[in-house]
Amino acid sequence: NFEKYEKMKAQTYPGDFDLLDVIAHVYQILTRSPHLFSNQYMLKDVYVDEVQDLVPAQIALFKFVCKNLKGFVFAGDTAQTIAHGVGFRFNTVKDIFYHEFVGIDSINCSDHSEFMPSNWQLSENFRTHCGVV
């Protein structure tokens, strides 16, 4: 499907790009030239809400703005996505974190157990009261 989409995009809209093309381009630039993002702009901590609405490539970009591996909080709702047919799993976020941020291929690596993320599941809805839900 993706190859069909890319082919159709190139034929129908030559020279056009979509959001993922932009993300891939930014990722490539920052990977090749990390000095472009100066330390003066580095964040101490990063809190990401609604992480279920981001694609993995967008999540991977956060590594360029914060070097504090213990300074990331990703929050989201596995039952809520903005894209139809997209299944969100926190294990995907964990995999991206370990591969992209920590630089290892497996979350089961005991050498990096200090970066093992914690999961909390909220059982109470704080957004609306029971009369609405």
Side-chain angles (χ1 to χ4, degrees):
N1 277 337
F2 179 73
E3 282 122 10
K4 284 182 184 179
Y5 166 74
E6 287 293 315
K7 185 176 180 180
M8 183 272 312
K9 184 175 67 173
Q11 290 173 346
T12 310
Y13 308 103
D16 272 5
F17 49 87
D18 60 18
L19 178 61
L20 290 179
D21 294 329
V22 172
I23 293 166
H25 184 70
V26 169
Y27 184 90
Q28 289 170 354
I29 289 172
L30 291 174
T31 300
R32 284 191 297 247
S33 305
H35 64 280
L36 292 176
F37 198 84
S38 171
N39 282 337
Q40 71 182 11
Y41 300 115
M42 282 292 164
L43 302 173
K44 180 181 173 189
D45 300 298
V46 174
Y47 299 87
V48 180
D49 193 13
E50 305 292 347
V51 70
Q52 78 275 359
D53 295 334
L54 302 177
V55 297
Q58 288 171 301
I59 296 168
L61 287 176
F62 288 115
K63 75 177 184 178
F64 295 107
V65 299
C66 180
K67 300 298 182 195
N68 176 14
L69 294 179
K70 294 183 179 183
F72 287 91
V73 175
F74 296 100
D77 187 342
T78 56
Q80 198 181 64
T81 57
I82 59 173
H84 178 69
V86 173
F88 172 78
R89 297 172 358 131
F90 271 101
N91 280 340
T92 302
V93 177
K94 285 183 185 180
D95 289 342
I96 294 166
F97 184 80
Y98 272 87
H99 180 73
E100 292 288 336
F101 294 60
V102 180
I104 57 175
D105 289 329
S106 171
I107 63 172
N108 298 319
C109 183
S110 60
D111 293 343
H112 298 293
S113 60
E114 73 267 23
F115 300 117
M116 180 61 74
S118 300
N119 283 333
W120 294 287
Q121 186 169 8
L122 299 179
S123 57
E124 186 175 341
N125 183 343
F126 294 97
R127 187 174 285 174
T128 55
H129 58 82
C130 62
V132 176
V133 181

